[in-house]
Amino acid sequence: MALGGYANRVAHVDLTAGTVEYRGIPEDWARKYVGARGLGVRYMLENGPQVDPLSPDNLLCFMNGPLTGTEANMSGRMAIVTKSPLTGTVTDSHHGGWSAARLRWAGFDGLLVKGKASGPVYLYVHDGIVEIMDASEVWGKGVHDTVKFFRERYGEKDLSVIAIGPAGENLVKFACWVNENDRASGRGGTGCVGGSKLLKAVVIKSAKKMPKAANLDAWKPAQKRALATIMDERNITSPRKGGLSVYGTNVLMNITSAMGALPTKNSTITSFGPSAEKISGEYVKEHILVDDPTCHACPVACKKEVEIKEGPWKGLRMESVEYEPAWSLGANCGNDDINTVAKLIDMCNDYGMDAIELGHPLSIYMEATERGYTNGAGGLAWGDTMAMVEMARKIAMREGIGNVMADGAEATARYFGHPELAMTVKGQGVPAYDPRGLKGMGIAYATSNRGACHLRAYTPAAELGVMPFGSLKVDPLAWKGKGELVKIFQDVHAFSDSLDLCKFSAFAESAEEYAAQYAAMVGVECTAEDVLKIGERIYNLERYYNNLAGFREGSDYLPARFTQEPSTMPGSEGHVCELDEMLAEYYAARGWVNGVVPESKLRELGIID
Amino acid sequence: MQVNFYATLRPIVGGRTVEFDVGEHVTVRQLVGVIVERFPRLRKELLNEDGNLYPHVHVFINGRDAPYLPNGVETVIKPGDTVDIFPAVAGG
Ligand code: SF4
């Protein structure tokens, strides 16, 4: 391959046959889809969009991008790409720490896993090779004990372990992969696909070997300029000064609650009132914070490690209390006990479950209980902390009603005979922004290619005015212009997810910084316009996959609660989300016909010939 | 009048909620003036060189960012209104 930067080595693992082949990346694909998310989806398309997510034929991709593990800031990200058992769409979910960097240093751009092993296995990745090894000794163990086991076997130094826990083994539909730093590729049930293949872990042993840029002269200034934006005191990334660095992502809890944009008690209301403070980043810092861990090449250090000081989980030290799970297992469930939030997140890390998704079956059960829909199936009260902990275990182990809830929000709501209680889009639960108070999130959730998601188009950056250097601010309650805004965000994020850089780089870096670093690393010309074009191609590729998988006209929607039940809380009182208006604007900007990519668009973007 | 502060503003004002002695009919702009006079370190956090609120700073009156209220920062704060002031915050 003529492009620099890449390892140009992808392992094709067939677990049924027990074989591993090593191939380069088709250059045309690398140029068109960059790496990580984009390239992973291209491999998924090649594998066939009609595949049953839990059949051996589904492909499970562990993908790096051309900037992964380099000197680029915030470049310790890996994308796990597959067809989701939760949504039926293509999905990609990223995690940080050092496992992605180590995969690159071990000599790989990606691992593509197909088939199903005859017994539990793990992949041992080192020195440019992948070995399929027996994992029966760790099958049944939680992620934490699995990591411990491999540390004893291979030594802690230079070791990364990405594992599934019992939830993945038990095919919980929202099971995930978690690494040795408790960083999870949380969304979309990628861990469930691992469990279906009897793949317990990917174990990577590699010392640091920073990839060299193809154009070294251009690389140094590009990397320096990007770093300067992250360090700048005007941006929230500014180390030990900016809100993201000091308080972590959970600095959001108070503001979204105050503005009526925090989905509370299964989105029945849009604010947690004074209780938001008790689960906020400010509260965590004052009461239980013990450390601020980071990821490969990141000066921001937004992770928040805590130690519980009192109560039934006294002494538990865990990472990391993030905004999303603190909302899902806190406000969403009417729970204002931060210690229980931390305990539940730690359980999710150990069982290998998406902590965002877990809150949905729990809060549905709670609302069903309150409304008298449970038909003698017991009950779960809002904020019943001990019961939540027990229910989390039952879901991971598929015990009792946990067996229903393990199939996700929609299955849980159907079980109670009230599908309208599921706050989902394409089967995936909404994250921590109520689209009645932050309207851009409404169109972002509806049109996300992986089901409800805040990270496909992080419009709060513009709606809260935290774009790099305050470059843009728009009214959170206005819908006009949000369709076009979401398209731009989706395209830029699709590119950065393919590099693969942490999403939070977008609070400091712009498309110019992405373009300059990419161009220097791989040795091509790239401008900010090219970034948007490539991002657009990747977004359309995903949509094309989903269209072929059966998501046709009318697949972009929101739960009726957001479009029909006005907010009753200050900040957004009286507002619903004007989805139809935004959808019309969005489809016009995309050139799609009611959610379907026309052939002419696919040709224009070079996706088909 | 009680004003709630958040995130990196709290260490500057020394707590979550601070009471300010302002007369009736005070506007958002006037209140911010009183606040930065009492806590001079807040000036560079809240106001640009022209003395206007930074776009990333939020002064909420009952949950609505003041610039989006019909009278913007000239809005008169009523007794019982909730006032929250946030620096730039985001995450994901
Ligand atoms: S900003 Fe946070 S999540 Fe992103 S790379 Fe840095 S420490 Fe990791």
Side-chain angles (χ1 to χ4, degrees):
Chain A
M1 187 165 73
L3 299 179
Y6 295 89
N8 196 24
R9 188 172 176 84
V10 173
H12 295 248
V13 180
D14 184 336
L15 292 178
T16 307
T19 57
V20 183
E21 281 179 33
Y22 305 98
R23 296 181 209 151
I25 304 170
E27 185 171 329
D28 178 49
W29 289 11
R31 286 184 186 275
K32 281 181 175 161
Y33 306 110
V34 182
R37 172 176 163 186
L39 195 56
V41 177
R42 186 62 190 82
Y43 281 114
M44 289 303 302
L45 182 69
E46 192 72 2
N47 190 56
Q50 265 99 26
V51 69
D52 172 353
L54 296 184
S55 82
D57 290 337
N58 193 11
L59 193 60
L60 180 61
C61 315
F62 298 82
M63 299 298 297
N64 280 347
L67 291 189
T68 305
T70 67
E71 285 173 311
N73 310 285
M74 303 165 144
S75 64
R77 307 291 294 183
M78 178 187 295
I80 302 186
V81 188
T82 192
K83 185 171 183 184
S84 163
L86 187 68
T87 63
T89 65
V90 71
T91 196
D92 62 288
S93 186
H94 304 237
H95 70 261
W98 280 264
S99 37
R102 291 206 174 99
L103 179 65
R104 179 65 184 82
W105 301 339
F108 290 99
D109 300 306
L111 314 172
L112 308 181
V113 184
K114 220 180 152 166
K116 180 178 180 179
S118 54
V121 295
Y122 68 95
L123 302 181
Y124 183 44
V125 184
H126 62 102
D127 305 302
I129 61 168
V130 177
E131 298 177 66
I132 304 172
M133 313 281 284
D134 179 11
S136 31
E137 279 180 271
V138 279
W139 197 256
K141 285 190 194 294
V143 170
H144 296 151
D145 281 344
T146 302
V147 169
K148 212 166 136 210
F149 174 90
F150 286 117
R151 280 181 168 164
E152 275 162 21
R153 176 167 285 186
Y154 295 112
E156 198 173 328
K157 194 170 183 302
D158 302 329
L159 191 78
S160 272
V161 178
I162 317 164
I164 61 167
E169 296 174 14
N170 295 329
L171 305 184
V172 172
K173 292 260 176 78
F174 48 92
C176 64
W177 291 87
V178 184
N179 77 4
E180 74 280 5
N181 299 113
D182 274 346
R183 312 293 163 76
S185 274
R187 305 234 76 191
T190 59
C192 180
V193 176
S196 76
K197 296 184 176 308
L198 298 183
L199 179 64
K200 175 72 180 174
V202 175
V203 181
I204 309 162
K205 182 92 171 169
S206 182
K208 193 190 261 190
K209 283 180 214 133
M210 291 279 206
K212 288 264 170 299
N215 183 347
L216 261 182
D217 291 342
W219 171 254
K220 287 220 162 71
Q223 190 271 347
K224 256 185 148 171
R225 202 176 89 193
L227 179 62
T229 66
I230 291 163
M231 305 300 280
D232 195 293
E233 282 186 30
R234 286 167 292 175
N235 292 329
I236 60 165
T237 50
S238 174
R240 288 170 298 285
K241 294 208 176 84
L244 177 65
S245 180
V246 177
Y247 296 95
T249 53
N250 202 10
V251 72
L252 276 166
M253 190 67 74
N254 279 316
I255 194 167
T256 51
S257 185
M259 66 195 288
L262 185 71
T264 300
K265 290 189 166 181
N266 200 32
S267 306
T268 51
I269 47 177
T270 60
S271 171
F272 203 21
S275 296
E277 173 71 24
K278 296 209 257 171
I279 55 169
S280 68
E282 288 93 327
Y283 189 93
V284 166
K285 185 165 171 63
E286 212 173 297
H287 294 88
I288 54 175
L289 185 74
V290 288
D291 201 4
D292 308 279
T294 190
C295 302
H296 165 74
C298 181
V300 182
C302 80
K303 303 286 105 185
K304 300 299 155 205
E305 188 170 345
V306 305
E307 187 171 322
I308 299 178
K309 305 250 171 49
E310 58 190 16
W313 304 293
K314 185 176 169 187
L316 173 69
R317 193 171 165 136
M318 60 76 65
E319 125 175 32
S320 166
V321 177
E322 301 286 336
Y323 171 59
E324 284 293 337
W327 156 77
S328 168
L329 302 162
N332 175 50
C333 290
N335 167 30
D336 66 1
D337 179 35
I338 193 69
N339 292 338
T340 304
V341 166
K343 168 68 180 168
L344 285 161
I345 297 171
D346 189 62
M347 290 175 77
C348 284
N349 291 341
D350 199 37
Y351 283 125
M353 285 192 287
D354 178 9
I356 301 181
E357 203 64 38
L358 175 64
H360 281 270
L362 292 177
S363 63
I364 290 167
Y365 193 4
M366 290 166 176
E367 188 179 348
T369 304
E370 184 177 64
R371 290 184 187 273
Y373 294 160
T374 52
N375 301 324
L380 190 60
W382 297 110
D384 183 340
T385 53
M386 296 310 277
M388 286 172 76
V389 167
E390 176 57 7
M391 199 53 73
R393 187 194 66 76
K394 281 188 169 165
I395 291 171
M397 303 312 287
R398 282 192 174 273
E399 272 179 34
I401 194 171
N403 190 36
V404 175
M405 295 161 84
D407 284 336
E410 292 188 355
T412 306
R414 271 198 311 272
Y415 175 79
F416 292 120
H418 287 272
E420 75 280 5
L421 298 191
M423 297 302 114
T424 52
V425 178
K426 302 181 179 72
Q428 181 157 277
V430 300
Y433 307 84
D434 196 299
R436 290 166 288 195
L438 279 159
K439 303 219 170 159
M441 280 280 96
I443 179 77
Y445 292 168
T447 62
S448 157
N449 285 330
R450 66 168 190 175
C453 174
H454 57 299
L455 294 172
R456 303 291 97 167
Y458 193 71
T459 57
E463 293 171 307
L464 295 175
V466 288
M467 298 290 287
F469 306 100
S471 50
L472 178 70
K473 187 178 182 184
V474 296
D475 184 351
L477 292 183
W479 67 262
K480 243 188 181 349
K482 296 285 168 73
E484 285 159 13
L485 185 73
V486 159
K487 176 192 179 289
I488 294 168
F489 271 102
Q490 286 173 341
D491 293 348
V492 174
H493 292 338
F495 185 83
S496 65
D497 278 349
S498 302
L499 286 176
D500 179 342
L501 293 182
C502 173
K503 195 61 49 72
F504 303 152
S505 63
F507 295 134
E509 300 180 36
S510 66
E512 274 86 23
E513 278 79 41
Y514 293 154
Q517 292 175 91
Y518 169 68
M521 180 53 67
V522 309
V524 293
E525 298 285 313
C526 185
T527 64
E529 289 77 53
D530 296 330
V531 164
L532 285 167
K533 198 54 168 178
I534 296 169
E536 183 183 16
R537 183 183 300 126
I538 293 166
Y539 212 82
N540 277 267
L541 176 77
E542 293 170 343
R543 180 53 65 128
Y544 178 45
Y545 181 103
N546 289 347
N547 289 159
L548 294 173
F551 292 88
R552 305 292 304 175
E553 291 83 356
S555 297
D556 298 329
Y557 60 88
L558 279 179
R561 185 160 281 174
F562 299 127
T563 56
Q564 290 173 20
E565 295 177 22
S567 163
T568 55
M569 306 303 276
S572 62
E573 196 174 350
H575 279 262
V576 293
C577 184
E578 293 91 343
L579 179 65
D580 290 342
E581 291 86 339
M582 289 190 282
L583 263 182
E585 201 185 69
Y586 175 83
Y587 288 149
R590 277 263 175 247
W592 292 354
V593 183
N594 199 7
V596 176
V597 196
E599 223 181 281
S600 55
K601 190 81 195 169
L602 294 169
R603 254 182 250 292
E604 174 199 316
L605 293 168
I607 293 170
I608 59 171
D609 295 327
Chain B
M1 176 179 296
Q2 286 199 336
V3 178
N4 303 316
F5 293 88
Y6 296 89
T8 46
L9 304 182
R10 279 193 188 169
I12 299 175
V13 301
R16 175 171 191 260
T17 305
V18 180
E19 185 80 37
F20 291 90
D21 198 9
V22 289
E24 279 178 34
H25 302 297
V26 69
T27 65
V28 173
R29 187 193 294 282
Q30 287 164 340
L31 174 66
V32 171
V34 170
I35 291 170
V36 297
E37 201 173 302
R38 176 145 155 215
F39 297 102
R41 276 177 61 207
L42 278 184
R43 182 177 297 275
K44 96 175 199 342
E45 305 297 324
L46 305 182
L47 304 176
N48 65 17
E49 283 165 5
D50 303 332
N52 295 319
L53 283 168
Y54 281 119
H56 59 255
V57 167
H58 309 275
V59 180
F60 282 3
I61 309 300
N62 301 322
R64 190 74 167 124
D65 212 350
Y68 298 123
L69 293 169
N71 294 321
V73 291
E74 304 309 330
T75 301
V76 175
I77 304 169
K78 297 190 296 301
D81 282 351
T82 303
V83 183
D84 298 292
I85 304 189
F86 294 86
V89 289

